Amino acid sequence: MATRRRLSPTFFGGLRAREHGGASGSSRATAGLPYLADLSSNPGGRGGGVIAVEHSGDPVIPFAISFGKTAQTCNLLAVADEDGYVGLYDTRRRLPSTSSSLEKSAETRVPDWVAHNNAIFDVCWIKEGSQILTASGDQTVKIWSVGNRKCIGVLSGHTGSVKSLSCHSSNPELIVSGSRDGSFALWDLRCDPKSPNSHGETCLTSSAVVREAHSPIQRNRTRSRAKAASTSITSVLYLKDGVSIATSGAADNVVKIWDTRNLEVPVSNKNSQAGALPLEGVKHGISCLSQDSYGAYIAASCMDNRIYLYSVLHVNKGPINVYTGSKIEFFFVKSAISPDGTHILGGSSDGNVYLWQVDQPESVTAVLKGHEGEATSVDWCASEVGKIATSSDDSTVRVWSTKKMDCTNVSSPTVIRKRAIAPNTEHRRSITHEPAATTSRGAVACARGDGEQQSGCHSPLQPRG
């Protein structure tokens, strides 16, 4: 084996050092990457284990997971489920094994509470981990104080299940949400609330709404149910430049980047905000979007069983890499790019969890086995390196780790360190999941509600069918 380079003492740096002398093909995960081969969710001194998601002994399916984003909360894993509960688990404690998870998971659970009387589809930590946002099927987003588990605000206005949340990278008062009603909304938590609801909870209204943001052309307008499903927003991202938002939909194959400074769309607007012709009549929705901590990349999981990676600085050139191997058969199957932008972690409908190295898209780096149902949500521990979490329809959350380590900053000598600024969106372009030389498609109109052309609202990224 070749001499290993000495890089920064991080999990990701260790991976890269070993990849230089690794074996090729399917043996790479075990022969060349001992750290990856050592990823385990078995209990012990390495921080891995299995969490059974249950209430009063009855298993429930987890829908969303999220590690705390600060050094103080990085060990806490928020788990939201189909029954509307949120549980916080201390992953530094000894986690149970598969056989004992149902009996002992409560020992690692710090608190849990009923956040909604409906399923929770996304959770988001804000304000240095002191608050958590929950997006629910009851069409609201709630703000929770982590310390006392009290609801301190309700974001109301969506008319469908709220599917996705994202917080501004430097201003925790600014939130974007995406809904099954086809809209995404911007919220400023500093705005004066309206009258409390019937439960005495403080309610806030959105500062801006874009409706029908991903509405494809409907050939059969009599099928209202199909139309409602196809207009759903599946994912939203507040990009690191602080002014741009990325959104994806359930059927239109498009990732759109919106400039928040030009969102002058009437709430009553019913016109499509953008149109993009499907490639060869084939439509595949996008299940989720993710970005690295530097804002250099956007990863999009598509229902064609591919994950597409874009450079934020060069989105007009189309995807720079495409990753295959996992099965993305339902919109609950998610992926996430690592904080340092070097790896992609993805769930799969076959129950496995897949790991790719960003600069080696031609092969899967590692396959993690253990779940007995569809592997759905995934997350990276941003501060405690070498730790990831995955959820599944088998009513468990698995925490995988190479070894137990203290919280530290993840650094990478090969990653773009300055935050990427989204491209100038004054001129809109249609970008396909094709090589750059084959992306010559006409510009896509971006209409305001009054029919005028609105410059600067988005650059659609259109996946290959």
Side-chain angles (χ1 to χ4, degrees):
M1 180 175 292
T3 302
R4 296 172 181 170
R5 296 172 54 196
R6 292 186 177 272
L7 299 180
S8 58
T10 68
F11 170 66
F12 305 106
L15 294 183
R16 286 190 297 278
R18 286 155 178 79
E19 283 156 4
H20 288 291
S24 61
S26 60
S27 63
R28 174 171 25 219
T30 56
L33 300 176
Y35 275 23
L36 282 182
D38 199 35
L39 270 173
S40 172
S41 61
N42 293 324
R46 298 185 298 178
V50 183
I51 298 170
V53 184
E54 52 80 26
H55 307 301
S56 302
D58 296 326
V60 295
I61 297 176
F63 278 176
I65 57 176
S66 180
F67 278 109
K69 307 308 179 187
T70 67
Q72 292 73 31
T73 62
C74 69
N75 59 299
L76 294 178
L77 180 67
V79 178
D81 62 46
E82 63 176 342
D83 283 356
Y85 281 74
V86 174
L88 301 182
Y89 295 84
D90 188 349
T91 60
R92 282 179 172 171
R93 298 181 182 180
R94 183 180 178 89
L95 300 176
S97 63
T98 302
S99 59
S100 62
S101 61
L102 190 60
E103 296 81 12
K104 295 185 177 181
S105 289
E107 297 176 6
T108 63
R109 189 168 59 221
V110 183
D112 72 338
W113 68 95
V114 180
H116 298 264
N117 293 320
N118 208 314
I120 299 174
F121 296 106
D122 201 6
V123 292
C124 179
W125 295 81
I126 62 171
K127 299 188 177 180
E128 298 296 317
S130 65
Q131 297 177 11
I132 285 181
L133 303 174
T134 54
S136 173
D138 65 9
Q139 305 178 6
T140 69
V141 175
K142 290 188 176 183
I143 312 167
W144 297 92
S145 169
V146 173
N148 58 19
R149 301 180 295 284
K150 299 294 185 181
C151 179
I152 57 179
V154 180
L155 312 184
S156 59
H158 283 299
T159 58
S161 299
V162 186
K163 308 295 287 186
S164 181
L165 291 169
S166 184
C167 176
H168 192 282
S169 59
S170 61
N171 187 347
E173 306 289 350
L174 302 180
I175 308 296
V176 60
S177 61
S179 172
R180 194 177 185 275
D181 63 16
S183 72
F184 71 87
L186 305 182
W187 311 82
D188 189 335
L189 304 187
R190 298 165 297 187
C191 293
D192 293 333
K194 62 180 183 180
S195 301
N197 61 17
S198 58
H199 301 288
E201 297 168 331
T202 300
C203 294
L204 289 86
T205 57
S206 59
S207 56
V209 178
V210 176
R211 300 190 183 280
E212 298 190 13
H214 285 263
S215 296
I217 298 173
Q218 300 295 321
R219 291 186 175 87
N220 186 353
R221 297 184 181 274
T222 63
R223 300 184 62 180
S224 59
R225 180 176 300 178
K227 180 178 180 179
S230 66
T231 62
S232 176
I233 301 295
T234 57
S235 190
V236 293
L237 279 181
Y238 234 125
L239 300 187
K240 302 299 182 181
D241 65 357
V243 298
S244 301
I245 289 173
T247 64
S248 64
D252 66 357
N253 277 0
V254 178
V255 177
K256 299 176 183 177
I257 298 178
W258 307 75
D259 188 334
T260 58
R261 297 165 297 187
N262 290 325
L263 291 179
E264 300 175 357
V265 181
V267 173
S268 61
N269 174 35
K270 296 182 179 181
N271 295 329
S272 174
Q273 292 306 298
L277 295 177
L279 298 179
E280 299 178 359
V282 179
K283 295 183 179 180
H284 295 289
I286 294 173
S287 67
C288 80
L289 304 174
S290 66
Q291 62 182 331
D292 61 289
S293 62
Y294 304 103
Y297 302 115
I298 296 176
S301 291
C302 191
M303 299 290 286
D304 62 358
N305 297 320
R306 297 181 178 98
I307 299 174
Y308 298 92
L309 184 71
Y310 297 92
S311 168
V312 173
L313 294 176
H314 305 287
V315 291
N316 59 322
K317 296 182 179 180
I320 58 176
N321 283 329
V322 180
Y323 307 86
T324 60
S326 63
K327 296 184 181 298
I328 308 173
E329 298 176 354
F330 298 95
F331 287 101
F332 291 102
V333 177
K334 314 288 187 180
S335 67
I337 190 168
S338 63
D340 67 351
T342 60
H343 292 78
I344 292 176
L345 181 69
S348 179
S349 297
D350 62 12
N352 297 325
V353 178
Y354 291 81
L355 186 65
W356 296 267
Q357 185 176 339
V358 163
D359 59 3
Q360 294 184 10
E362 66 278 359
S363 61
V364 176
T365 301
V367 179
L368 308 181
K369 298 179 179 292
H371 282 301
E372 297 178 356
E374 185 175 59
T376 51
S377 295
V378 299
D379 197 28
W380 299 84
C381 185
S383 300
E384 190 172 352
V385 296
K387 180 178 286 188
I388 59 176
T390 61
S391 67
S392 172
D393 285 354
D394 62 10
S395 298
T396 68
V397 172
R398 286 181 174 262
V399 179
W400 311 75
S401 185
T402 56
K403 58 183 177 179
K404 191 171 184 179
M405 301 179 67
D406 292 332
C407 289
T408 183
N409 290 326
V410 176
S411 60
S412 170
T414 60
V415 172
I416 301 173
R417 294 191 177 279
K418 64 181 180 180
R419 288 182 175 175
I421 304 300
N424 189 325
T425 55
E426 183 176 357
H427 301 286
R428 296 163 304 281
R429 299 170 183 172
S430 176
I431 302 159
T432 67
H433 276 319
E434 300 281 347
T438 62
T439 57
S440 56
R441 292 184 178 271
V444 179
C446 174
R448 286 183 11 183
D450 56 7
E452 291 183 30
Q453 294 293 317
Q454 180 185 356
S455 66
C457 71
H458 70 273
S459 290
L461 314 178
Q462 182 171 333
R464 180 174 58 199

